[in-house]
mmCIF file of all heavy atoms in Angstrom:
data_model
loop_
_atom_site.group_PDB
_atom_site.id
_atom_site.type_symbol
_atom_site.label_atom_id
_atom_site.label_comp_id
_atom_site.label_asym_id
_atom_site.label_seq_id
_atom_site.Cartn_x
_atom_site.Cartn_y
_atom_site.Cartn_z
ATOM 1 N N ALA A 1 -9.761 -8.903 -2.043
ATOM 2 C CA ALA A 1 -10.021 -10.256 -2.263
ATOM 3 C C ALA A 1 -11.520 -10.537 -2.133
ATOM 4 O O ALA A 1 -12.251 -9.827 -1.400
ATOM 5 C CB ALA A 1 -9.193 -11.151 -1.313
ATOM 6 N N PRO A 2 -12.025 -11.671 -2.739
ATOM 7 C CA PRO A 2 -13.483 -11.948 -2.664
ATOM 8 C C PRO A 2 -13.855 -12.059 -1.149
ATOM 9 O O PRO A 2 -13.198 -12.730 -0.428
ATOM 10 C CB PRO A 2 -13.558 -13.207 -3.365
ATOM 11 C CG PRO A 2 -12.469 -13.234 -4.300
ATOM 12 C CD PRO A 2 -11.356 -12.574 -3.638
ATOM 13 N N GLY A 3 -14.958 -11.430 -0.775
ATOM 14 C CA GLY A 3 -15.470 -11.573 0.550
ATOM 15 C C GLY A 3 -14.791 -10.671 1.572
ATOM 16 O O GLY A 3 -15.127 -10.736 2.773
ATOM 17 N N GLU A 4 -13.792 -9.940 1.125
ATOM 18 C CA GLU A 4 -12.997 -9.103 2.030
ATOM 19 C C GLU A 4 -13.177 -7.549 1.688
ATOM 20 O O GLU A 4 -13.528 -7.236 0.608
ATOM 21 C CB GLU A 4 -11.573 -9.533 2.086
ATOM 22 C CG GLU A 4 -11.288 -10.878 2.440
ATOM 23 C CD GLU A 4 -9.837 -11.337 2.508
ATOM 24 O OE1 GLU A 4 -8.991 -10.369 2.336
ATOM 25 O OE2 GLU A 4 -9.532 -12.435 2.709
ATOM 26 N N GLU A 5 -12.784 -6.790 2.662
ATOM 27 C CA GLU A 5 -12.849 -5.292 2.421
ATOM 28 C C GLU A 5 -11.629 -4.883 1.645
ATOM 29 O O GLU A 5 -10.563 -5.537 1.729
ATOM 30 C CB GLU A 5 -12.920 -4.580 3.719
ATOM 31 C CG GLU A 5 -14.213 -4.777 4.555
ATOM 32 C CD GLU A 5 -14.281 -3.945 5.836
ATOM 33 O OE1 GLU A 5 -13.258 -3.345 6.129
ATOM 34 O OE2 GLU A 5 -15.356 -3.842 6.440
ATOM 35 N N ARG A 6 -11.742 -3.859 0.951
ATOM 36 C CA ARG A 6 -10.623 -3.326 0.257
ATOM 37 C C ARG A 6 -9.635 -2.719 1.226
ATOM 38 O O ARG A 6 -9.990 -2.000 2.140
ATOM 39 C CB ARG A 6 -11.101 -2.142 -0.725
ATOM 40 C CG ARG A 6 -10.067 -1.673 -1.753
ATOM 41 C CD ARG A 6 -10.748 -0.782 -2.828
ATOM 42 N NE ARG A 6 -11.700 -1.652 -3.601
ATOM 43 C CZ ARG A 6 -12.414 -1.086 -4.587
ATOM 44 N NH1 ARG A 6 -12.178 0.163 -5.005
ATOM 45 N NH2 ARG A 6 -13.352 -1.835 -5.167
ATOM 46 N N GLU A 7 -8.398 -3.090 1.054
ATOM 47 C CA GLU A 7 -7.348 -2.666 1.954
ATOM 48 C C GLU A 7 -6.237 -1.885 1.212
ATOM 49 O O GLU A 7 -5.890 -2.071 0.052
ATOM 50 C CB GLU A 7 -6.802 -3.865 2.671
ATOM 51 C CG GLU A 7 -5.978 -4.798 1.802
ATOM 52 C CD GLU A 7 -5.302 -6.008 2.512
ATOM 53 O OE1 GLU A 7 -5.047 -5.837 3.749
ATOM 54 O OE2 GLU A 7 -4.888 -6.965 1.906
ATOM 55 N N PHE A 8 -5.606 -1.025 2.046
ATOM 56 C CA PHE A 8 -4.504 -0.254 1.553
ATOM 57 C C PHE A 8 -3.284 -1.079 1.416
ATOM 58 O O PHE A 8 -2.997 -2.003 2.177
ATOM 59 C CB PHE A 8 -4.261 0.851 2.655
ATOM 60 C CG PHE A 8 -2.989 1.686 2.361
ATOM 61 C CD1 PHE A 8 -2.953 2.685 1.412
ATOM 62 C CD2 PHE A 8 -1.808 1.407 2.999
ATOM 63 C CE1 PHE A 8 -1.736 3.350 1.191
ATOM 64 C CE2 PHE A 8 -0.647 2.111 2.808
ATOM 65 C CZ PHE A 8 -0.582 3.101 1.866
ATOM 66 N N VAL A 9 -2.564 -0.809 0.306
ATOM 67 C CA VAL A 9 -1.251 -1.491 0.051
ATOM 68 C C VAL A 9 -0.113 -0.553 0.099
ATOM 69 O O VAL A 9 0.850 -0.751 0.820
ATOM 70 C CB VAL A 9 -1.329 -2.156 -1.380
ATOM 71 C CG1 VAL A 9 0.033 -2.842 -1.668
ATOM 72 C CG2 VAL A 9 -2.458 -3.258 -1.399
ATOM 73 N N ALA A 10 -0.103 0.484 -0.760
ATOM 74 C CA ALA A 10 0.989 1.441 -0.805
ATOM 75 C C ALA A 10 0.567 2.725 -1.372
ATOM 76 O O ALA A 10 -0.490 2.846 -2.079
ATOM 77 C CB ALA A 10 2.200 0.876 -1.538
ATOM 78 N N ALA A 11 1.197 3.837 -1.093
ATOM 79 C CA ALA A 11 0.881 5.135 -1.697
ATOM 80 C C ALA A 11 2.169 6.017 -1.884
ATOM 81 O O ALA A 11 3.104 5.790 -1.199
ATOM 82 C CB ALA A 11 -0.117 5.895 -0.795
ATOM 83 N N VAL A 12 2.022 6.866 -2.801
ATOM 84 C CA VAL A 12 3.112 7.819 -3.118
ATOM 85 C C VAL A 12 2.543 9.194 -3.435
ATOM 86 O O VAL A 12 1.458 9.211 -4.169
ATOM 87 C CB VAL A 12 4.047 7.266 -4.196
ATOM 88 C CG1 VAL A 12 3.351 7.115 -5.499
ATOM 89 C CG2 VAL A 12 5.321 8.239 -4.329
ATOM 90 N N SER A 13 3.210 10.270 -3.157
ATOM 91 C CA SER A 13 2.783 11.559 -3.547
ATOM 92 C C SER A 13 3.483 11.863 -4.861
ATOM 93 O O SER A 13 4.734 11.641 -5.044
ATOM 94 C CB SER A 13 3.152 12.650 -2.512
ATOM 95 O OG SER A 13 4.490 12.722 -2.307
ATOM 96 N N TRP A 14 2.712 12.495 -5.835
ATOM 97 C CA TRP A 14 3.308 12.805 -7.084
ATOM 98 C C TRP A 14 4.455 13.808 -6.968
ATOM 99 O O TRP A 14 5.522 13.609 -7.693
ATOM 100 C CB TRP A 14 2.252 13.449 -8.040
ATOM 101 C CG TRP A 14 1.288 12.472 -8.577
ATOM 102 C CD1 TRP A 14 0.016 12.135 -8.144
ATOM 103 C CD2 TRP A 14 1.530 11.591 -9.712
ATOM 104 N NE1 TRP A 14 -0.518 11.208 -8.900
ATOM 105 C CE2 TRP A 14 0.340 10.766 -9.943
ATOM 106 C CE3 TRP A 14 2.549 11.412 -10.683
ATOM 107 C CZ2 TRP A 14 0.230 9.825 -10.931
ATOM 108 C CZ3 TRP A 14 2.421 10.478 -11.603
ATOM 109 C CH2 TRP A 14 1.290 9.702 -11.803
ATOM 110 N N SER A 15 4.310 14.828 -6.136
ATOM 111 C CA SER A 15 5.309 15.826 -6.082
ATOM 112 C C SER A 15 6.478 15.569 -5.119
ATOM 113 O O SER A 15 7.605 15.538 -5.526
ATOM 114 C CB SER A 15 4.643 17.141 -5.656
ATOM 115 O OG SER A 15 3.894 17.020 -4.519
ATOM 116 N N GLY A 16 6.192 15.286 -3.912
ATOM 117 C CA GLY A 16 7.177 15.111 -2.860
ATOM 118 C C GLY A 16 7.800 13.730 -2.890
ATOM 119 O O GLY A 16 8.930 13.578 -2.388
ATOM 120 N N GLY A 17 7.102 12.690 -3.398
ATOM 121 C CA GLY A 17 7.695 11.404 -3.424
ATOM 122 C C GLY A 17 7.578 10.640 -2.108
ATOM 123 O O GLY A 17 8.176 9.518 -2.050
ATOM 124 N N SER A 18 6.801 11.130 -1.146
ATOM 125 C CA SER A 18 6.713 10.405 0.070
ATOM 126 C C SER A 18 5.896 9.131 -0.133
ATOM 127 O O SER A 18 5.052 9.068 -0.875
ATOM 128 C CB SER A 18 5.904 11.294 1.120
ATOM 129 O OG SER A 18 6.610 12.449 1.353
ATOM 130 N N THR A 19 6.400 8.088 0.513
ATOM 131 C CA THR A 19 5.763 6.719 0.349
ATOM 132 C C THR A 19 5.321 6.126 1.702
ATOM 133 O O THR A 19 5.851 6.483 2.745
ATOM 134 C CB THR A 19 6.709 5.737 -0.324
ATOM 135 O OG1 THR A 19 7.833 5.597 0.458
ATOM 136 C CG2 THR A 19 7.146 6.219 -1.713
ATOM 137 N N HIS A 20 4.383 5.242 1.634
ATOM 138 C CA HIS A 20 3.878 4.580 2.790
ATOM 139 C C HIS A 20 3.405 3.136 2.354
ATOM 140 O O HIS A 20 2.819 3.062 1.237
ATOM 141 C CB HIS A 20 2.733 5.290 3.401
ATOM 142 C CG HIS A 20 2.251 4.709 4.654
ATOM 143 N ND1 HIS A 20 2.925 4.682 5.881
ATOM 144 C CD2 HIS A 20 1.067 4.101 4.951
ATOM 145 C CE1 HIS A 20 2.248 4.100 6.767
ATOM 146 N NE2 HIS A 20 1.107 3.670 6.258
ATOM 147 N N TYR A 21 3.740 2.199 3.153
ATOM 148 C CA TYR A 21 3.375 0.800 2.819
ATOM 149 C C TYR A 21 2.639 0.156 3.947
ATOM 150 O O TYR A 21 2.896 0.363 5.165
ATOM 151 C CB TYR A 21 4.595 -0.032 2.489
ATOM 152 C CG TYR A 21 5.444 0.430 1.366
ATOM 153 C CD1 TYR A 21 6.493 1.362 1.500
ATOM 154 C CD2 TYR A 21 5.226 -0.009 0.067
ATOM 155 C CE1 TYR A 21 7.232 1.824 0.423
ATOM 156 C CE2 TYR A 21 5.920 0.447 -1.024
ATOM 157 C CZ TYR A 21 6.889 1.375 -0.905
ATOM 158 O OH TYR A 21 7.640 1.770 -2.013
ATOM 159 N N ALA A 22 1.686 -0.773 3.584
ATOM 160 C CA ALA A 22 1.118 -1.596 4.529
ATOM 161 C C ALA A 22 2.187 -2.558 5.080
ATOM 162 O O ALA A 22 3.123 -2.961 4.412
ATOM 163 C CB ALA A 22 -0.045 -2.438 3.927
ATOM 164 N N ASP A 23 2.061 -2.976 6.383
ATOM 165 C CA ASP A 23 3.060 -3.809 6.960
ATOM 166 C C ASP A 23 3.140 -5.165 6.215
ATOM 167 O O ASP A 23 4.267 -5.733 6.212
ATOM 168 C CB ASP A 23 2.591 -4.072 8.435
ATOM 169 C CG ASP A 23 2.902 -2.831 9.356
ATOM 170 O OD1 ASP A 23 3.659 -1.976 8.902
ATOM 171 O OD2 ASP A 23 2.295 -2.800 10.448
ATOM 172 N N SER A 24 2.034 -5.576 5.665
ATOM 173 C CA SER A 24 2.109 -6.931 4.986
ATOM 174 C C SER A 24 2.921 -6.915 3.715
ATOM 175 O O SER A 24 3.239 -8.021 3.263
ATOM 176 C CB SER A 24 0.619 -7.303 4.665
ATOM 177 O OG SER A 24 0.011 -6.342 3.835
ATOM 178 N N VAL A 25 3.284 -5.749 3.153
ATOM 179 C CA VAL A 25 4.005 -5.750 1.950
ATOM 180 C C VAL A 25 5.376 -5.129 1.984
ATOM 181 O O VAL A 25 6.161 -5.065 1.078
ATOM 182 C CB VAL A 25 3.219 -5.127 0.755
ATOM 183 C CG1 VAL A 25 1.886 -5.812 0.589
ATOM 184 C CG2 VAL A 25 3.007 -3.608 0.972
ATOM 185 N N LYS A 26 5.717 -4.603 3.200
ATOM 186 C CA LYS A 26 6.939 -3.931 3.347
ATOM 187 C C LYS A 26 8.185 -4.814 3.044
ATOM 188 O O LYS A 26 8.149 -5.964 3.449
ATOM 189 C CB LYS A 26 7.108 -3.371 4.807
ATOM 190 C CG LYS A 26 6.331 -2.166 5.050
ATOM 191 C CD LYS A 26 6.501 -1.658 6.497
ATOM 192 C CE LYS A 26 5.773 -0.415 6.826
ATOM 193 N NZ LYS A 26 5.898 0.103 8.245
ATOM 194 N N GLY A 27 9.067 -4.329 2.301
ATOM 195 C CA GLY A 27 10.267 -5.162 1.879
ATOM 196 C C GLY A 27 10.036 -5.941 0.678
ATOM 197 O O GLY A 27 10.984 -6.586 0.086
ATOM 198 N N ARG A 28 8.743 -6.023 0.252
ATOM 199 C CA ARG A 28 8.441 -6.856 -0.979
ATOM 200 C C ARG A 28 7.893 -6.039 -2.149
ATOM 201 O O ARG A 28 8.206 -6.316 -3.285
ATOM 202 C CB ARG A 28 7.419 -7.960 -0.609
ATOM 203 C CG ARG A 28 7.898 -8.916 0.461
ATOM 204 C CD ARG A 28 6.950 -10.127 0.547
ATOM 205 N NE ARG A 28 5.666 -9.673 0.987
ATOM 206 C CZ ARG A 28 4.456 -9.888 0.307
ATOM 207 N NH1 ARG A 28 4.524 -10.495 -0.925
ATOM 208 N NH2 ARG A 28 3.306 -9.498 0.735
ATOM 209 N N PHE A 29 7.164 -5.000 -1.791
ATOM 210 C CA PHE A 29 6.497 -4.186 -2.857
ATOM 211 C C PHE A 29 7.197 -2.786 -2.820
ATOM 212 O O PHE A 29 7.624 -2.319 -1.755
ATOM 213 C CB PHE A 29 5.056 -3.957 -2.571
ATOM 214 C CG PHE A 29 4.109 -5.150 -2.722
ATOM 215 C CD1 PHE A 29 4.739 -6.398 -2.906
ATOM 216 C CD2 PHE A 29 2.807 -4.993 -2.726
ATOM 217 C CE1 PHE A 29 3.828 -7.559 -3.028
ATOM 218 C CE2 PHE A 29 1.982 -6.099 -2.852
ATOM 219 C CZ PHE A 29 2.491 -7.351 -3.066
#
C-alpha cells in the first residue's frame, strides 16, 4: 500500500503444494 513496506500475503510451492498465509488473510484468501 502507499507509504508502506511490501508485505507477504501467501505462498505455494510448485511441486509439493505446501502453502503458507499471512495471519491477516487466513480463512479469506
Side-chain angles (χ1 to χ4, degrees):
E4 300 182 7
E5 295 184 348
R6 192 166 300 183
E7 66 173 344
F8 171 80
V9 176
V12 64
S13 62
W14 285 99
S15 56
S18 299
T19 60
H20 183 71
Y21 297 91
D23 289 341
S24 60
V25 305
K26 286 182 178 178
R28 300 189 298 119
F29 291 11

